[in-house]
Amino acid sequence: MKTVLLPYDGSDTAKRALQYLIDLSKDYSGFSVHVLNVQFDPQIYGRSYTAFIGDALKQLREDTHKYAIDMAEQAAAQLREAGINTTAHAAVDTDIAFAVGELIKSQKCDSIVMGTRGMSGLGNLFLGSVATRIIHQVDIPVTLIK
């Protein structure tokens, strides 16, 4: 484990995953972390798409990206404070698992540490979960923190 991806959404389980990495750094040094916050891409559907709506959508996407950067930087700051080499990343996408996969490739991450919302087996069967999709999509080890 040299280059870790931490998908971070600010949830309690994401905060526990962040703390897991901080605690791990006390016994195991020399790894770096890429923190990724992905926000859903705002979409507008329908025929009444005007220049005004286009401008509003553009502003909404810019604000969404800024929020994603702020979220990732909050987590990255805590990791840096613990002495961990950390880079913050933000994405605005309709597919979180895809954005995670793209960052893994571009940054050559060799593991993922992430929180899971702890959805029940039945809920996971019907709804799916981001964690499940990521586990099936990537070919690197994934540590899930509940």
Side-chain angles (χ1 to χ4, degrees):
M1 182 167 82
K2 295 186 182 198
T3 307
V4 180
L5 172 62
L6 173 66
Y8 186 81
D9 64 2
S11 66
D12 288 343
T13 56
K15 290 175 183 174
R16 285 194 290 273
L18 177 114
Q19 187 61 50
Y20 172 84
L21 289 170
I22 291 170
D23 293 344
L24 182 65
S25 73
K26 294 172 186 169
D27 296 324
Y28 178 76
S29 62
F31 65 91
S32 63
V33 177
H34 290 275
V35 177
L36 173 64
N37 179 268
V38 181
Q39 293 297 315
F40 285 106
D41 185 18
Q43 300 289 318
I44 295 177
Y45 300 97
R47 296 180 195 189
S48 59
Y49 192 83
T50 66
F52 172 77
I53 291 173
D55 290 343
L57 182 59
K58 180 180 176 187
Q59 184 62 52
L60 183 57
R61 285 183 173 144
E62 288 173 7
D63 292 348
T64 301
H65 189 258
K66 183 182 180 320
Y67 178 77
I69 291 169
D70 290 346
M71 287 290 294
E73 276 298 335
Q74 287 176 21
Q78 292 178 55
L79 292 163
R80 289 184 196 115
E81 188 175 306
I84 302 169
N85 181 22
T86 305
T87 307
H89 304 271
V92 177
D93 203 317
T94 56
D95 187 340
I96 295 171
F98 177 79
V100 166
E102 290 298 301
L103 192 69
I104 287 169
K105 291 176 198 169
S106 70
Q107 300 302 317
K108 297 178 175 48
C109 297
D110 58 16
S111 62
I112 301 172
V113 173
M114 65 182 293
T116 178
R117 297 244 166 111
M119 188 179 289
S120 71
L122 185 60
N124 197 18
L125 177 66
F126 289 117
L127 301 174
S129 74
V130 172
T132 300
R133 291 186 52 230
I134 290 171
I135 289 168
H136 290 290
Q137 177 178 310
V138 302
D139 60 356
I140 59 175
V142 178
T143 301
L144 297 176
I145 307 296
K146 192 171 181 180

